[in-house]
Amino acid sequence: MLRVCLILAITLFCVGHAARATTLPDATLMDEAFQAAQWAHLSSAGAAVQQTAARRAAGDDALATLLQQRQIVLDRIARAETQLATLGGTEAGGDLSKAAELGGEIQAAQSDLDLLDARLAQDHPEYRQLLQPEALRIADVQASLGADEGLIFIFTGKWQTHVWAITPDRAAWHRIDLAQVNIESSVTEIRNSLIQANTLRAAAALDDAPDEGVPYAATDAMVLYFEILGPLEPYLEDVKHLYSVVDGPLSGLPLSLLITDWLENAQNLSLPEDYRRVNWMFQRYTLTTLPSVESLILVKDAAGTETDTQNQSFLGIGDPDFAGSLSTPSDGTFFRGTTADLESLRALAPLPGTRRELIKLARLFNADDDAILLGTDATETALRNMPLDQASVIAFATHGLLSGELRGLAEPALALTPPAEISATDDGLLTASEITSLQLNADWVVLSACNTAGSDGTPDAEGLSGLARAFLFAGARTLMVSHWPVRDDAAEQLTTSTFDALNSGTARRKSEALQSAMQTMLMDESQPDLSHPAAWAPFVLVGHGG
């Protein structure tokens, strides 16, 4: 790691002298910087894709079990380290006994990991290399891209941002003096305008008052595009499908809602007709998010096992039995310790729109009624009894809860119908660690829930939440996940329209299908409030978008 950091520091120092918001002529330097930045960026989500590929490639039950056990141990270590990092020191009144406990957990898990690695090296040496993600050369990326595809990689440093654009026959790199704190400020402004729009709309609905609209942070959306991606437009002119790998603050924002043309009076952008006149990034490219650069090859390989969209089996779970009025348990009092407080879980707001959403999806796939779990049937126990490994499309439509969002909730979770009593197998929460133990073979997993792609709600956190990582590891090839709390009517339209576009043949790619659904919502004059990006932009595709 020290060597990687030194290479990165030296290479990015060179770029400061070789370019200023321009492309670099030196292909060797560009390639070295590209690889060094990847090493600095490698994420647990990327590792999850790598692990999934290893399991799928194994074709060996014993090996698959060993690799899955290894990932579970790694997740234990990551969660313990995250908890340890949040504890204050002695000067801050930190909990020393808890720190010692977590230290012991990390040490014990590391011992388990060493034993698993020893077994893997001895019994399956050919797969040991799959566990170590490797940085790709630019030529490797080019060889993996289709004729109309491109990839952008944005690496955000403390004081500067570096961006690579790669197509099958071209590559460019530029540096901008845009610090992490500046990007974070813009992302926060955009996210706040989106969340405020949803909040005020909900309040207007309760009061039966007209929704006057909330101005979108259009200036920030324009500045981010023109500063970061604008200089690379000439290199992407033939690209229709764009893969993106981002880190830092930008991981908290879908690139789809960046604005690609400069607007006058952008601060006044608030009316439906205003939004329909804007040129959005999702209209220029169909977009797919990757957790890391090296996962491009892995998702391309996995795409070969996908089934015909006309012959996909569907499973859905949603509209859990909640009886409260709170859309999210934001005051941190709903969960105590490491298990759910049932009364608080039951206090979550019901989501009746998710029932309609899942029924419509089931009809698209000609699924039987027993293919969806709704209301009191939407439990952990019932879910585990479903043939998850036989479903090519699995949809969750419920509240998504992030690690750290609630006091005592140490990992992300999907909220399901609370049981009468908590048991070891059913506490009403399907956590990330439980998801990793599922055996999936799904072309799609739809997480129509709150914040399932938004890490912990801060714009500088890891781009994929623990929920997304967990599903990638469990065997999903493509995820459709949301960046902020989604209106249930908007979620219903986005998901059903996306699959309808695929099944009808009007969209060739998954990313095209989502693009079509977003465009339809934006231009729908019968529901003007759907034109705000808070309604049509929450979802992104993660993994394979072809």
Side-chain angles (χ1 to χ4, degrees):
M1 181 57 70
L2 178 60
R3 176 178 177 272
V4 170
C5 292
L6 286 174
I7 292 174
L8 181 65
I10 294 171
T11 307
L12 297 187
F13 174 78
C14 291
V15 76
H17 292 273
R20 178 175 295 271
T22 58
T23 57
L24 290 179
D26 191 325
T28 300
L29 180 60
M30 187 192 310
D31 213 351
E32 289 178 353
F34 181 63
Q35 294 177 63
Q38 288 177 67
W39 282 116
H41 171 262
L42 283 174
S43 68
S44 53
V49 179
Q50 187 76 259
Q51 293 275 3
T52 302
R55 284 174 53 204
R56 187 174 291 115
D60 180 314
D61 289 343
L63 175 57
T65 298
L66 186 61
L67 293 174
Q68 188 172 24
Q69 290 174 346
R70 188 180 190 276
Q71 181 61 40
I72 291 172
V73 172
L74 286 172
D75 285 347
R76 282 169 48 200
I77 294 174
R79 288 196 303 274
E81 289 178 340
T82 299
Q83 287 182 269
L84 187 60
T86 61
L87 296 176
T90 54
E91 299 84 356
D95 188 338
L96 297 182
S97 62
K98 182 62 175 178
E101 177 186 340
L102 290 171
E105 289 180 16
I106 294 171
Q107 186 174 7
Q110 185 61 53
S111 297
D112 292 342
L113 183 64
D114 292 342
L115 291 174
L116 289 170
D117 282 348
R119 285 178 55 193
L120 189 64
Q122 178 178 333
D123 300 339
H124 307 280
E126 68 276 21
Y127 288 101
R128 184 66 182 86
Q129 60 183 348
L130 286 175
L131 302 177
Q132 302 298 332
E134 295 184 0
L136 298 185
R137 297 173 302 141
I138 289 175
D140 298 327
V141 174
Q142 291 177 319
S144 299
L145 292 171
D148 62 350
E149 293 182 335
L151 178 141
I152 55 172
F153 175 34
I154 304 172
F155 180 78
T156 306
K158 185 174 183 179
W159 303 113
Q160 296 175 339
T161 297
H162 299 260
V163 190
W164 289 261
I166 302 173
T167 67
D169 56 1
R170 307 178 79 177
W173 173 30
H174 83 106
R175 175 209 59 140
I176 51 176
D177 292 327
L178 197 60
Q180 180 172 324
V181 65
N182 302 126
I183 296 178
E184 181 172 340
S185 176
S186 290
V187 171
T188 299
E189 287 296 320
I190 294 172
R191 285 182 60 92
N192 285 345
S193 72
L194 298 167
I195 294 171
Q196 184 184 13
N198 277 344
T199 301
L200 292 186
R201 178 194 173 275
L206 288 174
D207 296 336
D208 196 24
D211 180 7
E212 297 180 355
V214 175
Y216 175 58
T219 301
D220 292 281
M222 288 188 299
V223 169
L224 287 177
Y225 180 83
F226 280 96
E227 288 280 355
I228 297 173
L229 296 174
L232 296 174
E233 276 187 353
Y235 298 88
L236 299 171
E237 59 184 2
D238 296 324
V239 170
K240 295 180 180 178
H241 181 205
L242 188 63
Y243 288 98
S244 64
V245 181
V246 301
D247 75 339
L250 281 174
S251 65
L253 195 72
L255 297 183
S256 58
L257 47 62
L258 297 185
I259 296 176
T260 61
D261 285 336
W262 196 260
L263 303 173
E264 299 295 334
N265 301 317
Q267 67 273 15
N268 297 322
L269 199 69
S270 62
L271 300 176
E273 54 268 30
D274 297 332
Y275 298 129
R276 297 187 187 115
R277 286 195 295 265
V278 170
N279 290 318
W280 303 94
M281 187 167 172
F282 87 90
Q283 296 169 321
R284 177 169 293 189
Y285 310 103
T286 64
L287 299 165
T288 304
T289 299
L290 294 176
S292 61
V293 174
E294 49 83 31
S295 62
L296 172 68
I297 293 177
L298 300 173
V299 299
K300 288 281 190 171
D301 290 344
T305 64
E306 293 185 1
T307 58
D308 189 325
T309 57
Q310 298 292 339
N311 297 294
Q312 291 186 318
S313 57
F314 174 81
L315 290 178
I317 181 167
D319 190 21
D321 188 21
F322 302 135
S325 60
L326 298 170
S327 58
T328 56
S330 57
D331 69 357
T333 63
F334 293 104
F335 295 88
R336 303 179 181 89
T338 57
T339 59
D341 175 82
L342 290 180
E343 292 306 314
S344 299
L345 188 58
R346 293 182 184 118
L348 287 173
L351 300 167
T354 63
R355 178 180 291 262
R356 297 190 300 269
E357 176 185 351
L358 290 176
I359 289 174
K360 285 186 178 181
L361 285 174
R363 288 173 181 167
L364 282 177
F365 295 99
N366 298 315
D368 297 331
D369 291 342
D370 58 4
I372 51 178
L373 300 172
L374 299 170
T376 56
D377 295 327
T379 65
E380 275 193 89
T381 300
L383 176 66
R384 295 179 192 280
N385 290 329
M386 298 284 276
L388 296 174
D389 60 338
Q390 299 175 29
S392 47
V393 179
I394 303 175
F396 291 83
T398 182
H399 292 291
L401 308 174
L402 295 179
S403 174
E405 187 176 10
L406 311 172
R407 188 174 63 197
L409 186 61
E411 57 179 319
L414 293 171
L416 302 179
T417 294
E421 295 182 0
I422 291 176
S423 67
T425 58
D426 191 344
D427 64 355
L429 293 174
L430 185 66
T431 63
S433 58
E434 290 172 325
I435 292 167
T436 61
S437 66
L438 301 177
Q439 295 290 335
L440 307 180
N441 187 30
D443 293 345
W444 288 81
V445 168
V446 180
L447 301 184
S448 184
C450 300
N451 292 338
T452 49
S455 25
D456 63 357
T458 58
D460 61 343
E462 186 182 75
L464 300 176
S465 72
L467 291 175
R469 285 195 302 112
F471 278 107
L472 287 172
F473 172 70
R477 285 179 278 279
T478 301
L479 301 171
M480 184 174 173
V481 292
S482 57
H483 264 282
W484 54 80
V486 188
R487 291 167 42 179
D488 55 7
D489 61 333
E492 176 186 342
Q493 291 195 43
L494 282 168
T495 55
T496 56
S497 296
T498 297
F499 283 106
D500 190 43
L502 280 176
N503 289 350
S504 66
T506 57
R508 184 169 58 94
R509 290 186 172 108
K510 294 176 179 178
S511 55
E512 287 177 0
L514 178 58
Q515 180 192 51
S516 173
M518 294 163 67
Q519 179 69 11
T520 298
M521 288 183 65
L522 172 63
M523 304 304 292
D524 185 357
E525 295 186 6
S526 67
Q527 291 185 273
D529 62 328
L530 292 180
S531 64
H532 196 289
W536 54 256
F539 283 102
V540 297
L541 294 186
V542 181
H544 184 251

